[in-house]
Amino acid sequence: MEYTNIIKTDIVNNKYDVLWDDISGVVKDAATRPVLIVVNGCEQGSTEDIQLQKMLDACKLAPGQYNIIRLEKDGQVAWHRLRERLDPKIIFLIGVSPVQLGIAAFFKLNEPNNFNDRVWLPTVGINELEQHKDVKTHLWNSGMKPVFIDKKFGVIA
């Protein structure tokens, strides 16, 4: 069931009504897995997708350990719905801001953040990572390596 204009007020814009929509079209046949990757503007088979796969390979993640949610530019999907449906323990946001998930919180970029009893690793988009090697290095040393290789936040089943 899709809702429109749920909250009728000038304070909350109706563009946030999407946060109550069904997410079946976004998650498709995704199963519960420990890692959720939410990426902005990364179509399957694109050069960004190839870079994403290289990043996941560097983290030594097997396909059975993660789900990838691909959002369109400025797309939104409700975190509370993703949490209920997929129950991830680690959320890797690539080019996605928390507000796109209906979250009003500030996260440190390229470093693990604790929020909602989960580990969040936000970073800039894949193209921006490729353009700024220092940011990519910081992401690896301060975020990806501690979370996925050193397993400082627990073993990924």
Side-chain angles (χ1 to χ4, degrees):
M1 177 178 207
E2 195 166 315
Y3 300 97
T4 56
N5 205 13
I6 294 172
I7 303 171
K8 296 178 177 148
T9 177
D10 293 335
I11 297 171
V12 179
N13 189 308
N14 65 359
K15 75 177 184 177
Y16 295 106
D17 289 351
V18 69
L19 298 174
W20 282 267
D21 286 350
D22 179 48
I23 62 167
S24 297
V26 176
V27 297
K28 298 177 178 116
D29 60 350
T32 300
R33 294 189 175 139
V35 179
L36 174 63
I37 297 130
V38 185
V39 62
N40 220 351
C42 178
E43 294 181 26
Q44 278 188 298
S46 66
T47 56
E48 291 89 3
D49 188 46
I50 293 167
Q51 287 303 107
L52 174 61
Q53 290 305 317
K54 287 180 183 179
M55 291 168 66
L56 300 178
D57 290 345
C59 292
K60 298 185 182 343
L61 288 172
Q65 294 177 304
Y66 61 84
N67 287 305
I68 299 175
I69 301 296
R70 299 169 192 275
L71 295 181
E72 294 179 18
K73 185 176 176 0
D74 300 322
Q76 291 183 294
V77 64
W79 161 242
H80 67 96
R81 298 247 189 221
L82 292 171
R83 181 188 64 219
E84 291 166 4
R85 178 89 176 262
L86 303 175
D87 193 29
K89 301 304 176 213
I90 299 169
I91 300 90
F92 192 7
L93 300 177
I94 305 173
V96 175
S97 69
V99 78
Q100 288 178 261
L101 304 179
I103 298 172
F106 290 110
F107 293 151
K108 289 189 284 183
L109 281 179
N110 305 317
E111 295 182 20
N113 295 264
N114 289 311
F115 176 78
N116 199 210
D117 296 323
R118 286 151 174 82
V119 176
W120 295 72
L121 181 56
T123 191
V124 297
I126 293 172
N127 287 334
E128 199 167 337
L129 284 172
E130 290 305 307
Q131 293 172 5
H132 302 282
K133 299 296 181 192
D134 55 331
V135 175
K136 191 174 185 178
T137 300
H138 183 247
L139 171 63
W140 174 254
N141 291 327
S142 299
M144 293 167 63
K145 187 174 181 288
V147 171
F148 299 113
I149 301 299
D150 299 340
K151 297 178 178 31
K152 289 188 177 183
F153 299 90
V155 175
I156 300 168

